[in-house]
Amino acid sequence: MVITSSKLLPSINEIAETLKQRFSGRYAYNLFDFGNKQSVFVEKSTFVAIQVTREDNGIVIEQMFKPSLLTVICFFLDLIVAGGCSILYRFAPFYPEQKKLEQEISTFLEQEYK
């Protein structure tokens, strides 16, 4: 999901702080720097997390797993069984929770920064 904004967006650190204030104690937040892109992982559990990335004119929200050995094994299993189509992922019991988290965070960010 992409949220485009006509406003000047704050830094990813400020976005993370805004999320922490709004959803205090409900989720874990981890900042990551991927070269020229900075992101924050909003984590409800090992399998229920999203990645929020600030770009020039918007915020990208993606469903993600927290990087771990278990998630790497699941990724390779999906790659072997379904050719990387994320079919197994969509049938996983945590998929509805992850979709709900993505919707909750994206709705808040859209109201805050659009």
Side-chain angles (χ1 to χ4, degrees):
M1 171 173 278
V2 178
I3 299 170
T4 55
S5 177
S6 57
K7 299 178 184 178
L8 182 62
L9 292 171
S11 70
I12 196 67
N13 292 336
E14 292 171 314
I15 292 172
E17 283 302 315
T18 302
L19 289 170
K20 284 179 188 176
Q21 289 174 0
R22 171 63 175 88
F23 302 103
S24 62
R26 290 175 55 192
Y27 309 119
Y29 304 90
N30 297 303
L31 291 169
F32 288 91
D33 191 356
F34 300 107
N36 61 348
K37 287 192 178 184
Q38 294 180 323
S39 297
V40 62
F41 278 107
V42 180
E43 180 185 351
K44 186 173 183 178
S45 69
T46 300
F47 289 105
V48 179
I50 60 166
Q51 177 180 338
V52 178
T53 305
R54 181 194 178 276
E55 294 189 344
D56 293 335
N57 62 341
I59 299 172
V60 178
I61 301 169
E62 301 174 273
Q63 296 177 14
M64 301 293 287
F65 293 118
K66 180 180 178 184
S68 70
L69 180 60
L70 185 58
T71 58
V72 170
I73 291 169
C74 289
F75 170 77
F76 282 119
L77 181 62
D78 181 56
L79 190 63
I80 292 167
V81 173
C85 297
S86 299
I87 292 171
L88 296 178
Y89 172 75
R90 295 196 183 275
F91 291 109
F94 50 82
Y95 181 75
E97 280 297 310
Q98 196 164 33
K99 196 71 178 158
K100 183 179 170 185
L101 176 63
E102 179 188 36
Q103 188 63 41
E104 181 180 26
I105 298 297
S106 62
T107 299
F108 170 72
L109 290 174
E110 196 168 35
Q111 292 170 352
E112 191 75 17
Y113 297 116
K114 195 161 189 179

